[in-house]
Amino acid sequence: MKPILPGATLGVMGGGQLGRMFVHAAQSMGYFTVVLDPDAASPAGRVSHQHIVAEYLDAPGLGQLAETCAAITTEFENVPAPALARLAAYTTVSPAAASVAIAQDRAQEKAHFVACGVPCAPYAVIETAAQLAAVTDDLLPGIVKTARLGYDGKGQVRVATYAELAQAWLDLKGVPCVLEKMLPLAAECSVIVARGADGQAVHLPIQRNLHRDGILAVTEVYEGNMPPAQVEHAVAAAKSIANELDYVGVLCVEFFVLDDGSLVVNEIAPRPHNSGHASIDCCDVSQFELQVRTLTGLPLVQPRQHSPALMLNLLGDLWFVRSDKAATPPWADVLALPGAHLHLYGKASASRGRKMGHLTITGATVDAARATARQAAEILGIEAF
Ligand code: ATP
Ligand code: MG
């Protein structure tokens, strides 16, 4: 494939923060951008050269996007795979609709892990009352997750007993779900792989992730954040998952680390990922530049990390630390810290649990970066880690 060179126009389905950072990367490389998102005030729509305000399955909107763009990608978990399939009839689309469809359905996703020989948490698919009745006690306590349309812990219920499980499935309106055994987690980590149409793959340094209430809170990226054997294992597993999908684009693979040090895969995201945001400031190629490169068929170069880094998610809660009325957090105080990189997504209003931005702290050493990140957390009212 001949690469699509700067000067061309690239499209993105979805206008959230991931789309916004894709647009920033594409524009800085000299591409024009078009975002399709139904929200006129979407974070990516606000910074794109063009914004098509339309639903993801809107035929005229998709037609306009396909006509304008040399290649199109996606940024949002829940952009319907059929919309990507439609676009692919007219122009280059990556990742492919088939890969996105697998990642959008937890049952299909887990079946793929099994096919790749990569272990995941013991689980059962619950689509019918008979499947619910057949659940065995060894999966309890567990977490019921809707098979589709979940993110940031939404659509998940923790259940301790069979009665709670039955009630949870009722509360979730009997939609297709998976029940996953609750595992004792020693840690969580993720690997971001970028794979080109020629099958060549590169990856970002492994991210160690701390979640709070099902939402990513802190990511630590530096040499020694995980034992070397786990790093090697996780990178190999992530690449094999991407290869087996014949995946083109940026793929994030999330892992659980169990008490005995073994790794199980949690889920995949067919796009850049919150846990990869530090790459903007701590690596010589960011996950968003990798997305541009895979989409356009430009060369993939193995990214190199130049600074130890920690990323703190800035949730809407931080606007309510001092009062019940939303108040801007003390950005100036945070920016007085060395190596502080503030990224705000341009969302009009803050609410609890909403991802408003992130803060990456880079340092000359791991200790310096960690100490500064702790200071930043204290200034902002983020719980110590
Ligand atoms: P996101 O899209 O933000 O990654 P999500 O809604 O897809 O989140 P999961 O990744 O499935 O949610 O779960 C969110 C978090 O809940 C995990 O990172 C982990 O901390 C916890 N969790 C999920 N499943 C399990 C499990 N089987 N055992 C223990 N903890 C779990
Ligand atoms: Mg997750």
PDB file of all heavy atoms in Angstrom, residues 106 145 151-153 156 188 211 214 254 256 266-268 273, ligand 2:
ATOM      1  N   ARG A 106     -18.193  -8.580  24.806  1.00  0.00           N
ATOM      2  CA  ARG A 106     -17.332  -9.277  25.766  1.00  0.00           C
ATOM      3  C   ARG A 106     -17.329 -10.786  25.557  1.00  0.00           C
ATOM      4  O   ARG A 106     -16.329 -11.441  25.829  1.00  0.00           O
ATOM      5  CB  ARG A 106     -17.767  -8.963  27.202  1.00  0.00           C
ATOM      6  CG  ARG A 106     -17.457  -7.547  27.621  1.00  0.00           C
ATOM      7  CD  ARG A 106     -17.714  -7.352  29.115  1.00  0.00           C
ATOM      8  NE  ARG A 106     -17.701  -5.950  29.474  1.00  0.00           N
ATOM      9  CZ  ARG A 106     -16.609  -5.263  29.817  1.00  0.00           C
ATOM     10  NH1 ARG A 106     -15.438  -5.851  29.854  1.00  0.00           N
ATOM     11  NH2 ARG A 106     -16.701  -3.977  30.119  1.00  0.00           N
ATOM     12  N   LYS A 145     -21.139  -8.367  33.719  1.00  0.00           N
ATOM     13  CA  LYS A 145     -20.846  -7.239  32.824  1.00  0.00           C
ATOM     14  C   LYS A 145     -21.738  -7.361  31.597  1.00  0.00           C
ATOM     15  O   LYS A 145     -21.816  -8.447  31.008  1.00  0.00           O
ATOM     16  CB  LYS A 145     -19.372  -7.266  32.380  1.00  0.00           C
ATOM     17  CG  LYS A 145     -18.371  -7.250  33.534  1.00  0.00           C
ATOM     18  CD  LYS A 145     -16.923  -7.261  33.024  1.00  0.00           C
ATOM     19  CE  LYS A 145     -15.924  -7.195  34.175  1.00  0.00           C
ATOM     20  NZ  LYS A 145     -14.518  -7.160  33.703  1.00  0.00           N
ATOM     21  N   TYR A 151     -18.392   0.946  29.708  1.00  0.00           N
ATOM     22  CA  TYR A 151     -17.085   1.596  29.806  1.00  0.00           C
ATOM     23  C   TYR A 151     -16.986   2.211  31.190  1.00  0.00           C
ATOM     24  O   TYR A 151     -18.005   2.491  31.820  1.00  0.00           O
ATOM     25  CB  TYR A 151     -16.880   2.662  28.715  1.00  0.00           C
ATOM     26  CG  TYR A 151     -17.754   3.878  28.867  1.00  0.00           C
ATOM     27  CD1 TYR A 151     -17.278   5.035  29.474  1.00  0.00           C
ATOM     28  CD2 TYR A 151     -19.067   3.858  28.441  1.00  0.00           C
ATOM     29  CE1 TYR A 151     -18.084   6.146  29.628  1.00  0.00           C
ATOM     30  CE2 TYR A 151     -19.880   4.954  28.606  1.00  0.00           C
ATOM     31  CZ  TYR A 151     -19.386   6.103  29.190  1.00  0.00           C
ATOM     32  OH  TYR A 151     -20.195   7.194  29.372  1.00  0.00           O
ATOM     33  N   ASP A 152     -15.748   2.405  31.660  1.00  0.00           N
ATOM     34  CA  ASP A 152     -15.518   2.986  32.983  1.00  0.00           C
ATOM     35  C   ASP A 152     -16.358   2.306  34.062  1.00  0.00           C
ATOM     36  O   ASP A 152     -16.906   2.969  34.949  1.00  0.00           O
ATOM     37  CB  ASP A 152     -15.830   4.494  32.970  1.00  0.00           C
ATOM     38  CG  ASP A 152     -14.781   5.279  32.200  1.00  0.00           C
ATOM     39  OD1 ASP A 152     -13.732   4.685  31.876  1.00  0.00           O
ATOM     40  OD2 ASP A 152     -15.008   6.473  31.928  1.00  0.00           O
ATOM     41  N   GLY A 153     -16.468   0.984  33.979  1.00  0.00           N
ATOM     42  CA  GLY A 153     -17.195   0.253  35.026  1.00  0.00           C
ATOM     43  C   GLY A 153     -18.713   0.360  34.922  1.00  0.00           C
ATOM     44  O   GLY A 153     -19.435  -0.171  35.766  1.00  0.00           O
ATOM     45  N   GLN A 156     -21.829  -2.776  35.013  1.00  0.00           N
ATOM     46  CA  GLN A 156     -21.224  -3.877  35.768  1.00  0.00           C
ATOM     47  C   GLN A 156     -21.821  -3.946  37.165  1.00  0.00           C
ATOM     48  O   GLN A 156     -22.030  -2.916  37.796  1.00  0.00           O
ATOM     49  CB  GLN A 156     -19.708  -3.670  35.909  1.00  0.00           C
ATOM     50  CG  GLN A 156     -19.010  -3.587  34.569  1.00  0.00           C
ATOM     51  CD  GLN A 156     -17.506  -3.715  34.685  1.00  0.00           C
ATOM     52  OE1 GLN A 156     -16.980  -3.937  35.767  1.00  0.00           O
ATOM     53  NE2 GLN A 156     -16.828  -3.592  33.562  1.00  0.00           N
ATOM     54  N   GLU A 188      -2.680  -4.212  38.045  1.00  0.00           N
ATOM     55  CA  GLU A 188      -3.234  -4.215  36.685  1.00  0.00           C
ATOM     56  C   GLU A 188      -2.226  -3.529  35.777  1.00  0.00           C
ATOM     57  O   GLU A 188      -1.479  -2.638  36.211  1.00  0.00           O
ATOM     58  CB  GLU A 188      -4.569  -3.477  36.652  1.00  0.00           C
ATOM     59  CG  GLU A 188      -5.636  -4.168  37.481  1.00  0.00           C
ATOM     60  CD  GLU A 188      -7.019  -3.545  37.291  1.00  0.00           C
ATOM     61  OE1 GLU A 188      -7.534  -3.562  36.166  1.00  0.00           O
ATOM     62  OE2 GLU A 188      -7.557  -3.029  38.282  1.00  0.00           O
ATOM     63  N   HIS A 211      -6.832   1.394  39.312  1.00  0.00           N
ATOM     64  CA  HIS A 211      -8.236   1.758  39.107  1.00  0.00           C
ATOM     65  C   HIS A 211      -8.882   2.059  40.451  1.00  0.00           C
ATOM     66  O   HIS A 211      -8.572   1.411  41.447  1.00  0.00           O
ATOM     67  CB  HIS A 211      -9.008   0.603  38.450  1.00  0.00           C
ATOM     68  CG  HIS A 211      -8.641   0.385  37.021  1.00  0.00           C
ATOM     69  ND1 HIS A 211      -7.518  -0.302  36.637  1.00  0.00           N
ATOM     70  CD2 HIS A 211      -9.263   0.762  35.880  1.00  0.00           C
ATOM     71  CE1 HIS A 211      -7.462  -0.327  35.315  1.00  0.00           C
ATOM     72  NE2 HIS A 211      -8.502   0.308  34.824  1.00  0.00           N
ATOM     73  N   GLY A 214     -13.677   1.210  39.497  1.00  0.00           N
ATOM     74  CA  GLY A 214     -13.835   0.771  38.117  1.00  0.00           C
ATOM     75  C   GLY A 214     -13.334   1.765  37.082  1.00  0.00           C
ATOM     76  O   GLY A 214     -13.473   1.540  35.888  1.00  0.00           O
ATOM     77  N   GLU A 254      -5.643  -4.914  28.141  1.00  0.00           N
ATOM     78  CA  GLU A 254      -5.602  -4.743  29.603  1.00  0.00           C
ATOM     79  C   GLU A 254      -5.430  -6.093  30.276  1.00  0.00           C
ATOM     80  O   GLU A 254      -6.103  -7.053  29.915  1.00  0.00           O
ATOM     81  CB  GLU A 254      -6.912  -4.139  30.105  1.00  0.00           C
ATOM     82  CG  GLU A 254      -7.171  -2.713  29.693  1.00  0.00           C
ATOM     83  CD  GLU A 254      -8.499  -2.207  30.257  1.00  0.00           C
ATOM     84  OE1 GLU A 254      -8.731  -2.361  31.470  1.00  0.00           O
ATOM     85  OE2 GLU A 254      -9.296  -1.680  29.482  1.00  0.00           O
ATOM     86  N   PHE A 256      -4.869  -8.321  34.128  1.00  0.00           N
ATOM     87  CA  PHE A 256      -4.834  -8.423  35.579  1.00  0.00           C
ATOM     88  C   PHE A 256      -3.579  -9.197  35.948  1.00  0.00           C
ATOM     89  O   PHE A 256      -3.233 -10.181  35.285  1.00  0.00           O
ATOM     90  CB  PHE A 256      -6.023  -9.234  36.106  1.00  0.00           C
ATOM     91  CG  PHE A 256      -7.377  -8.635  35.825  1.00  0.00           C
ATOM     92  CD1 PHE A 256      -8.452  -9.461  35.503  1.00  0.00           C
ATOM     93  CD2 PHE A 256      -7.591  -7.274  35.897  1.00  0.00           C
ATOM     94  CE1 PHE A 256      -9.713  -8.934  35.271  1.00  0.00           C
ATOM     95  CE2 PHE A 256      -8.854  -6.725  35.657  1.00  0.00           C
ATOM     96  CZ  PHE A 256      -9.914  -7.567  35.342  1.00  0.00           C
ATOM     97  N   ASN A 266      -7.750  -8.982  30.626  1.00  0.00           N
ATOM     98  CA  ASN A 266      -9.077  -8.480  31.019  1.00  0.00           C
ATOM     99  C   ASN A 266      -9.890  -8.175  29.778  1.00  0.00           C
ATOM    100  O   ASN A 266     -10.878  -8.835  29.487  1.00  0.00           O
ATOM    101  CB  ASN A 266      -8.902  -7.250  31.909  1.00  0.00           C
ATOM    102  CG  ASN A 266     -10.225  -6.518  32.174  1.00  0.00           C
ATOM    103  OD1 ASN A 266     -11.302  -7.105  32.053  1.00  0.00           O
ATOM    104  ND2 ASN A 266     -10.155  -5.250  32.517  1.00  0.00           N
ATOM    105  N   GLU A 267      -9.463  -7.189  29.006  1.00  0.00           N
ATOM    106  CA  GLU A 267     -10.226  -6.819  27.812  1.00  0.00           C
ATOM    107  C   GLU A 267      -9.322  -6.079  26.844  1.00  0.00           C
ATOM    108  O   GLU A 267      -8.198  -5.696  27.189  1.00  0.00           O
ATOM    109  CB  GLU A 267     -11.424  -5.958  28.190  1.00  0.00           C
ATOM    110  CG  GLU A 267     -11.035  -4.669  28.902  1.00  0.00           C
ATOM    111  CD  GLU A 267     -12.208  -3.716  29.107  1.00  0.00           C
ATOM    112  OE1 GLU A 267     -13.305  -3.988  28.608  1.00  0.00           O
ATOM    113  OE2 GLU A 267     -11.991  -2.679  29.739  1.00  0.00           O
ATOM    114  N   ILE A 268      -9.831  -5.885  25.615  1.00  0.00           N
ATOM    115  CA  ILE A 268      -9.076  -5.116  24.631  1.00  0.00           C
ATOM    116  C   ILE A 268      -9.890  -3.893  24.226  1.00  0.00           C
ATOM    117  O   ILE A 268     -11.116  -3.897  24.308  1.00  0.00           O
ATOM    118  CB  ILE A 268      -8.734  -5.957  23.370  1.00  0.00           C
ATOM    119  CG1 ILE A 268      -9.996  -6.564  22.734  1.00  0.00           C
ATOM    120  CG2 ILE A 268      -7.743  -7.050  23.721  1.00  0.00           C
ATOM    121  CD1 ILE A 268      -9.716  -7.338  21.444  1.00  0.00           C
ATOM    122  N   HIS A 273      -5.803   4.327  24.226  1.00  0.00           N
ATOM    123  CA  HIS A 273      -6.438   4.036  25.518  1.00  0.00           C
ATOM    124  C   HIS A 273      -5.995   5.041  26.558  1.00  0.00           C
ATOM    125  O   HIS A 273      -4.877   5.546  26.511  1.00  0.00           O
ATOM    126  CB  HIS A 273      -6.028   2.619  25.947  1.00  0.00           C
ATOM    127  CG  HIS A 273      -6.805   2.074  27.094  1.00  0.00           C
ATOM    128  ND1 HIS A 273      -6.294   2.051  28.374  1.00  0.00           N
ATOM    129  CD2 HIS A 273      -8.043   1.525  27.156  1.00  0.00           C
ATOM    130  CE1 HIS A 273      -7.200   1.492  29.177  1.00  0.00           C
ATOM    131  NE2 HIS A 273      -8.268   1.166  28.462  1.00  0.00           N
TER     132      HIS A 273
HETATM  133 MG    MG B   2     -11.189  -1.910  31.319  1.00  0.00          MG
END
